[in-house]
Amino acid sequence: YLPSNKMPLNALKWFQNANIEVEDMSGKFELHGPLKSFPFDDHVGWFSGNIFLKNGSLNYAPHWPMAKKIIGNLFFRNRSFQMDVVSAEMNQTPIAQTKIWMPRISSDESVDWLFVQGHANSRSENGLAFIHNSPLEEKIGKGLKVLQGQGTMKLDLSLQIPISKQPLPVTTKGKIDLENNWLKLTDWRVDLKEVNGILNFTENSFSAQEVRGNVLNQPFILSAKTLADTTQVNLKSHNS
């Protein structure tokens, strides 16, 4: 919605690589002020848009699972934009109540920021697959290969994505809430049943505290954390 000569090269490159595609959309735009001042950095006017999207797709960051089948609303206001996603799919995981926004597209080559806050109710195996099929695989995914899981989960994910000339790391914060899961510790060949608890991860680390369940018909408490490219798991039975 911004002419290319009104955007810095790093932001223009992001929009080109985002491969934004929409099967169906409708909405409206409003412009108030002299066209020569667009996009109104001098505050003498404003430009806004409100668009409903159906079956859209967005490649929000390199090497991360693309958002597909997007249904939601896209809002523009001068140099900012925001996408409120009602439903979508990432790596075959249904996504709901997700917000993607850029507070300001700079007029120069300074670093801009794209933010993603997403939520999903899905299967724990899909949550682990999301980690393995993203840049998180390099730092924490390899260590998590000792875990296999089945069951329901709630996923909360927050990304801060720098839009800049030079590649900069994506800041990641996530939480997986396991609900009555089955987990297999592949190195130990141990099956954990009725597992409930929270797994936390960032771009560099993975941890779990007070995860509870049953093993060999005995209750247990599990904790875990990443160390280099491995995951340290501590399992303690209540009766031990």
Side-chain angles (χ1 to χ4, degrees):
Y1 75 99
L2 282 178
S4 59
N5 63 352
K6 298 292 184 179
M7 286 193 290
L9 290 178
N10 52 350
L12 178 61
K13 184 178 179 181
W14 180 85
F15 276 100
Q16 292 172 338
N17 293 336
N19 295 323
I20 301 173
E21 296 182 358
V22 180
E23 182 178 296
D24 188 18
M25 67 177 181
S26 61
K28 65 178 183 179
F29 294 92
E30 294 185 32
L31 187 150
H32 296 263
L35 285 176
K36 65 180 181 179
S37 298
F38 182 85
F40 308 115
D41 295 330
D42 52 7
H43 308 292
V44 297
W46 54 270
F47 167 77
S48 66
N50 185 348
I51 305 171
F52 172 74
L53 307 175
K54 184 177 181 181
N55 289 336
S57 62
L58 173 66
N59 184 24
Y60 52 93
H63 311 301
W64 286 83
M66 177 179 279
K68 300 179 179 180
K69 299 180 181 179
I70 297 172
I71 297 176
N73 289 281
L74 184 61
F75 304 96
F76 299 101
R77 178 78 179 192
N78 295 347
R79 287 189 177 272
S80 67
F81 80 86
Q82 177 176 315
M83 182 183 292
D84 290 341
V85 178
V86 177
S87 64
E89 187 178 279
M90 292 184 187
N91 196 57
Q92 300 182 338
T93 299
I95 302 296
Q97 299 176 352
T98 295
K99 179 179 174 183
I100 303 171
W101 76 102
M102 191 179 294
R104 177 174 169 79
I105 301 171
S106 300
S107 57
D108 54 29
E109 295 300 327
S110 57
V111 178
D112 291 322
W113 292 92
L114 180 75
F115 298 90
V116 179
Q117 287 185 349
H119 308 276
N121 294 314
S122 186
R123 304 285 299 174
S124 57
E125 52 266 43
N126 292 339
L128 291 172
F130 181 90
I131 292 175
H132 292 310
N133 292 319
S134 75
L136 298 174
E137 172 70 7
E138 182 65 26
K139 290 291 183 72
I140 66 172
K142 294 178 180 179
L144 287 178
K145 288 184 177 179
V146 300
L147 289 176
Q148 294 179 357
Q150 292 181 0
T152 59
M153 64 115 194
K154 295 179 181 178
L155 171 67
D156 293 328
L157 179 67
S158 176
L159 303 176
Q160 296 183 24
I161 303 165
I163 311 298
S164 62
K165 286 184 177 180
Q166 301 299 324
L168 295 173
V170 175
T171 302
T172 307
K173 184 177 181 180
K175 180 178 73 172
I176 298 175
D177 189 351
L178 301 176
E179 299 176 340
N180 199 29
N181 272 237
W182 167 84
L183 292 180
K184 184 179 184 67
L185 302 178
T186 55
D187 286 357
W188 296 355
R189 297 182 181 179
V190 173
D191 289 345
L192 310 178
K193 300 178 180 179
E194 301 173 7
V195 178
N196 293 275
I198 294 176
L199 313 179
N200 295 292
F201 61 89
T202 70
E203 69 275 14
N204 296 312
S205 65
F206 166 85
S207 65
Q209 296 290 334
E210 298 291 320
V211 175
R212 298 174 182 268
N214 283 282
V215 58
L216 302 176
N217 295 320
Q218 297 292 331
F220 72 83
I221 299 177
L222 178 146
S223 62
K225 62 180 179 179
T226 52
L227 295 172
D229 59 351
T230 63
T231 298
Q232 181 184 76
V233 179
N234 294 312
L235 185 67
K236 182 178 181 181
S237 171
H238 286 195
N239 296 332
S240 62

